Amino acid sequence: MTRIFKHRLIWPIAALVALIVLNSISRPSFLSITITRGQLYGSLIDILRDSAPLMLVALGMALVIATRGIDLSVGAQMAISGSVALTIIADSKTPNSLGTVVVAILAGVAITLVFGLWNGFLVAVVGIQPIIATLVLMLAGRGIALLITGGFITTITSTPYAVLSQGHVLGFPVAFLVSAIAIAIVTVLVRRTALGVLTEAVGINPSASRLAGVRSRGIVWSLYGLSGLLAGMAGILYSSNIMAADANNAGINIELDAILAVVLGGTSLAGGKFTLAGTVIGVFIIQTLTSTITFLGVPPAVTPVFKAVVVIIVCLSQSQRMRGWISGLRPPKRLVVTTPNETPIATNRTTA
Amino acid sequence: MKKFLAGIAVVGVLALALTGCSGGGAGGAAGGAKKIITVGFAQTGSESGWRAANTLSMKSAFSTKNGFKLIFNAADNKPENQIAAVHSFINQGVDAIVIAAVVTTGWDDVLKEAKAAKIPVILEDRTIDASPSLYASWIGDDFTKEGVTAGAWAAKTLGATATNMVVLEGTTGSSPAIDRAKGFSSSIAGTKITTLDSQTGNFTRADGKTVMEGFLQKYGKKINLLFAQNDDMGLGALDAIKAAGETPGTDIQIVSIDGTHDGLTALSTGEFNYVVECNPLLGDKVASVVKDVLAGKAVDKAYTAVDGAFDKAAAIAALPTRKY
């Protein structure tokens, strides 16, 4: 039992469950999933589908944060990839052909991969602080997207493109399946190869890992590229969701939500150890919170406060010191006492 | 060496960013024997399709052909940028300044400066909280009236039967959101329309869709009417309504405000039921007021644009010539 409570994911999961319970009490229909025209339909399914763009962005963000970095440009990159893809489809004579759509998606994702690698170049090779390096593209990127769309919202009608966000396979929304595949690929990439360990090594101590022979430059560079790639795909999903390239609003403030999701999941902003599972749960917490606001009927004027309170509670619940204080209010547990002159202090430190 | 390289990169990127910003500005070349009126226009930014249409309208009205030289500045929705832009207009000694204010407050000092320099200021689109003596005129849309018109349609069409309405509000605290809500509720007061719920969709398609999904999950088939405070949110909601297995326009009637090309297209196919216009084509009126002010003619303190309203037939008629 205590092992369960010590597991680092227990608090994020508890927060997610608490939100779901809160919604179900308010409206029991929250949990209901029905099958409408061969597809699953319900609030939980909506959450799975709507969380897809944030999920992709947050996965990339988790890895970048693990290298002691940050990628502020993801929202702008979403706007760029959506604009590129939709401009290609809108200008094409055959918007409904699968070929056009595939070319558009590849072009959109390829361009953000290039921008991601540019970020990585600035951080890993030139040595600019990540927050500044990516801030450049965060500000300029939306301008680039507006330049592509000419300041207007580009709208399209293209059946294959709509499938990405509105279609279903085996009853599940395609957008959710895309994010699930991304989770699987990234997990295999970092946990079944040495990449994850090397990333953590770079994040924990860049100098030591370099001296130990880790090619930190290449790793950091490629992870920013991956973050760009995932943000590009997120932009494709976002634009497919509304069938429009809204350069002004696509992915606006998503970098902050992604950072929040990573942190709610239990990854430290100081870099080093990271948890993808925690990040996934963090994304679901944020998306469920959005539904909660509608379901509880929180007035728009107090929505930011409501969100802030929930986030503060989740963060506090993860704080070791806070938990210590709260358990201090209860009768103290039996402490493991060590006699000072027998146990060397050093071992205490390492086990603490 | 590293620092030097970093410096070069930063300068390079900044130069890129700067050219990116000024790329769309500085319209119209000077020259010609006729007296050219130099006008500085401080636009809010380029946050929406409405704004893009507004900018285009201003640029074409203040063209070289019409005897103007337009110095255009988009402030990226930052009040401090906009005040800096107005300062720079004053320093350049323009003949008149047009402002589409990002925020309503903080204008007194810079407007006093303009007045001291004898440069008339004309407000476009949005009003400000400053003494009316500091500006010559205001040209814009009447958001309250738009809400009243939309509400009057709802009251006339659905007011006699029990109707459950949900509302997609604009950005919380913005003047169009507040005024449209006020106008709409004044029109439906006393009818059988009840507001089930009202949430913000931030004037965007994606948020409109997400919030509408939530409404549909929460209330199921109880909803008969959707009031979207702009077209974009209404268009986002269409997908959510279809995904829930309902037919927009029939099961759930939709009234929205803006009259964009996409909104009218949805209206022409019967997915929307009524659209009230919020006209962004203010350029010509602003240009004529600027000319009158400079010629010393008396002008009104406020001009409201004529906002039409569309039903399905009107939308089909208007679509081919719709500019935005």
Side-chain angles (χ1 to χ4, degrees):
Chain A
M1 197 63 189
T2 44
R3 261 193 67 197
I4 295 176
F5 279 109
K6 288 243 170 74
H7 195 279
R8 59 179 172 175
L9 287 184
I10 191 69
W11 293 101
I13 291 174
L16 181 59
V17 171
L19 276 178
I20 292 174
V21 168
L22 189 67
N23 278 316
S24 326
I25 293 172
S26 155
R27 300 239 163 202
S29 68
F30 182 79
L31 289 176
S32 86
I33 294 175
T34 53
I35 297 179
T36 316
R37 288 168 295 161
Q39 59 202 44
L40 297 172
Y41 180 74
S43 295
L44 294 175
I45 301 294
D46 283 348
I47 290 173
L48 288 183
R49 192 190 60 232
D50 290 341
S51 63
L54 181 59
M55 185 70 77
L56 295 175
V57 168
L59 285 176
M61 188 69 80
L63 294 175
V64 168
I65 285 177
T67 67
R68 291 192 180 182
I70 201 131
D71 189 349
L72 295 181
S73 69
V74 283
Q77 298 204 40
M78 277 177 68
I80 294 174
S81 76
S83 306
V84 169
L86 262 71
T87 307
I88 290 176
I89 295 178
D91 291 346
S92 127
K93 286 193 182 73
T94 52
N96 276 318
S97 90
L98 191 61
T100 313
V101 169
V102 169
V103 167
I105 293 173
L106 288 180
V109 173
I111 198 162
T112 56
L113 174 63
V114 171
F115 278 120
L117 290 173
W118 162 253
N119 279 336
F121 172 77
L122 290 183
V123 173
V125 181
V126 187
I128 298 177
Q129 293 218 332
I131 200 165
I132 302 300
T134 55
L135 185 69
V136 172
L137 191 56
M138 174 187 176
L139 299 175
R142 211 162 279 282
I144 295 171
L146 280 167
L147 212 62
I148 296 170
T149 59
F152 286 92
I153 298 178
T154 310
T155 46
I156 55 160
T157 40
S158 165
T159 327
Y161 199 72
V163 166
L164 274 176
S165 261
Q166 297 169 24
H168 290 74
V169 171
L170 303 173
F172 282 98
V174 175
F176 165 67
L177 296 176
V178 169
S179 71
I181 292 169
I183 295 171
I185 292 175
V186 173
T187 307
V188 169
L189 202 62
V190 300
R191 294 303 182 203
R192 290 281 170 263
T193 70
L195 182 65
V197 177
L198 298 180
T199 305
E200 290 183 349
V202 170
I204 291 167
N205 193 330
S207 320
S209 60
R210 188 170 48 79
L211 293 176
V214 178
R215 290 189 184 169
S216 63
R217 178 181 288 184
I219 289 173
V220 172
W221 196 342
S222 55
L223 287 178
Y224 277 92
L226 180 66
S227 173
L229 184 85
L230 288 166
M233 197 58 218
I236 300 287
L237 290 182
Y238 183 97
S239 61
S240 153
N241 187 30
I242 55 176
M243 292 306 274
D246 190 348
N248 291 298
N249 296 307
I252 199 138
N253 293 339
I254 202 170
E255 56 280 343
L256 300 178
D257 275 347
I259 295 168
L260 184 61
V262 171
V263 173
L264 285 181
T267 300
S268 160
L269 280 182
K273 292 243 172 231
F274 65 96
T275 150
L276 290 179
T279 303
V280 170
I281 293 165
V283 169
F284 285 139
I285 291 177
I286 292 174
Q287 200 60 46
T288 310
L289 192 53
T290 311
S291 307
T292 307
I293 284 160
T294 316
F295 260 71
L296 295 188
V298 180
V302 298
T303 300
V305 178
F306 179 80
K307 279 189 172 174
V309 168
V310 173
V311 168
I312 289 170
I313 291 172
V314 176
C315 287
L316 286 182
S317 76
Q318 291 195 50
S319 149
Q320 211 102 48
R321 197 172 289 176
M322 190 68 197
R323 288 214 298 272
W325 284 340
I326 290 172
S327 59
L329 298 175
R330 293 200 301 259
K333 289 179 195 159
R334 203 171 61 89
L335 295 171
V336 183
V337 184
T338 49
T339 35
N341 50 359
E342 272 179 6
T343 320
I345 295 164
T347 42
N348 253 342
R349 285 244 173 96
T350 48
T351 50
Chain B
M1 187 60 193
K2 257 192 175 167
K3 271 192 180 160
F4 174 71
L5 273 178
I8 288 188
V10 167
V11 169
V13 167
L14 281 181
L16 201 104
L18 284 176
T19 46
C21 291
S22 60
K34 213 167 58 174
K35 184 175 166 5
I36 288 167
I37 304 171
T38 310
V39 175
F41 175 37
Q43 177 65 289
T44 55
S46 54
E47 69 277 7
S48 63
W50 190 96
R51 189 63 58 190
N54 180 247
T55 300
L56 269 186
S57 156
M58 290 293 283
K59 280 186 178 168
S60 65
F62 287 93
S63 63
T64 323
K65 204 176 74 202
N66 294 348
F68 289 100
K69 182 187 174 204
L70 182 69
I71 306 172
F72 178 79
N73 178 284
D76 212 9
N77 281 304
K78 292 191 180 71
E80 65 274 18
N81 286 1
Q82 205 166 31
I83 287 178
V86 175
H87 270 296
S88 115
F89 293 154
I90 296 170
N91 293 337
Q92 293 174 49
V94 297
D95 298 317
I97 296 173
V98 181
I99 304 173
V102 175
V103 292
T104 55
T105 49
W107 286 102
D108 295 71
D109 287 342
V110 72
L111 291 189
K112 275 176 193 157
E113 219 175 286
K115 196 176 173 136
K118 295 198 168 55
I119 301 173
V121 172
I122 288 95
L123 304 177
E124 190 246 357
D125 171 34
R126 306 199 188 169
T127 51
I128 59 170
D129 289 335
S131 158
S133 65
L134 293 175
Y135 57 87
S137 185
W138 167 80
I139 297 105
D141 293 285
D142 186 343
F143 300 131
T144 315
K145 209 174 123 202
E146 289 162 12
V148 168
T149 315
W153 172 84
K156 199 182 84 192
T157 322
L158 298 161
T161 48
T163 303
N164 292 313
M165 177 179 72
V166 291
V167 182
L168 290 171
E169 295 174 27
T171 311
T172 308
S174 68
S175 64
I178 295 169
D179 292 346
R180 284 173 186 173
K182 203 165 60 187
F184 195 93
S185 32
S186 75
S187 282
I188 60 163
T191 66
K192 285 191 177 166
I193 299 173
T194 42
T195 308
L196 278 183
D197 214 327
S198 182
Q199 280 287 345
T200 178
N202 292 317
F203 283 136
T204 67
R205 292 184 190 215
D207 286 1
K209 182 172 179 179
T210 314
V211 174
M212 192 65 203
E213 278 171 359
F215 283 159
L216 288 161
Q217 298 289 1
K218 194 173 169 185
Y219 300 106
K221 296 195 183 305
K222 261 166 62 184
I223 305 168
N224 317 115
L225 173 65
L226 165 67
F227 170 39
Q229 288 187 354
N230 80 345
D231 283 353
D232 282 334
M233 291 190 293
L235 290 165
L238 282 184
D239 288 334
I241 295 171
K242 286 181 207 160
E246 309 242 335
T247 315
T250 333
D251 295 334
I252 299 177
Q253 303 223 18
I254 301 174
V255 51
S256 85
I257 297 175
D258 257 3
T260 57
H261 195 279
D262 292 342
L264 291 190
T265 309
L267 183 57
S268 70
T269 57
E271 293 187 322
F272 279 10
N273 301 79
Y274 199 69
V275 174
V276 178
E277 184 182 43
C278 179
N279 195 348
L281 307 179
L282 304 170
D284 290 333
K285 184 71 198 166
V286 176
S288 81
V289 170
V290 166
K291 275 186 173 161
D292 286 351
V293 169
L294 290 176
K297 291 183 197 160
V299 292
D300 289 348
K301 265 283 166 248
Y303 293 97
T304 37
V306 183
D307 288 335
F310 299 89
D311 55 13
K312 189 174 172 178
I316 293 169
L319 264 178
T321 54
R322 200 68 178 164
K323 283 185 189 153
Y324 53 97

